[in-house]
Amino acid sequence: MPSPNYSVVFWAPPAGATTAIAVGNVVLPSASDARSWVVATAANRNGRRSEGIAISATGGSGFGTFEILQSGTIDSTISGLAPSASRSLVRCSAIGTIERVDTNNVDPNVDDVIGLAEADGRVHLMFGLPFAELIAILSGRVV
């Protein structure tokens, strides 16, 4: 008997009436109102780690919410990643998008590592894992 496939998708309100969230933006709760969400730019993170990715968009009209995914696998249409020669860790970029990062050059004091990308651009999201555990899981290293 096959196992059920499912995921939980949360609906999140953007912070402020003019906040636009695009599909593929990495997000986190606003520092000023934890009930609303912002794009996880370097300025918005300010030492915090990102917590999800937008899988639908909001135009910033002040109405509606957007879908947020905090675990699971997303395809390249959401990740925005082009095909690559191999799997790689991914992090949140300074502008709040997903980017590949060389496992050997990951800096736990700087990089907000959020998962593992397959060569075809799919990403296995792993928000919130302790950094050392994430590296061990994704790179096969013993920490």
Side-chain angles (χ1 to χ4, degrees):
M1 177 189 314
S3 300
N5 293 320
Y6 67 92
S7 64
V8 177
V9 177
F10 296 99
W11 290 88
T18 59
T19 301
I21 307 284
V23 171
N25 279 156
V26 180
V27 295
L28 77 162
S30 169
S32 61
D33 179 5
R35 295 171 298 178
S36 62
W37 294 74
V38 295
V39 176
T41 62
N44 286 339
R45 285 196 312 266
N46 193 25
R48 300 182 300 151
R49 292 190 60 189
S50 54
E51 296 186 22
I53 188 162
I55 58 173
S56 70
T58 181
S61 65
F63 299 101
T65 56
F66 64 98
E67 292 175 281
I68 180 174
L69 190 63
Q70 294 180 302
S71 65
T73 301
I74 56 174
D75 64 30
S76 61
T77 62
I78 296 173
S79 74
L81 297 176
S84 174
S86 62
R87 296 169 47 167
S88 63
L89 292 173
V90 290
R91 66 182 171 197
C92 180
S93 72
I95 61 170
T97 58
I98 294 177
E99 66 183 6
R100 294 180 189 272
V101 61
D102 179 359
T103 304
N104 296 319
N105 294 323
V106 174
D107 182 347
N109 298 312
V110 176
D111 294 319
D112 182 10
V113 177
I114 61 172
L116 175 71
E118 297 290 350
D120 64 4
R122 288 177 298 128
V123 173
H124 307 288
L125 299 172
M126 298 181 187
F127 290 99
L129 284 179
F131 190 81
E133 291 179 10
L134 185 61
I135 297 300
I137 290 167
L138 299 180
S139 68
R141 294 184 191 171
V142 176
V143 179

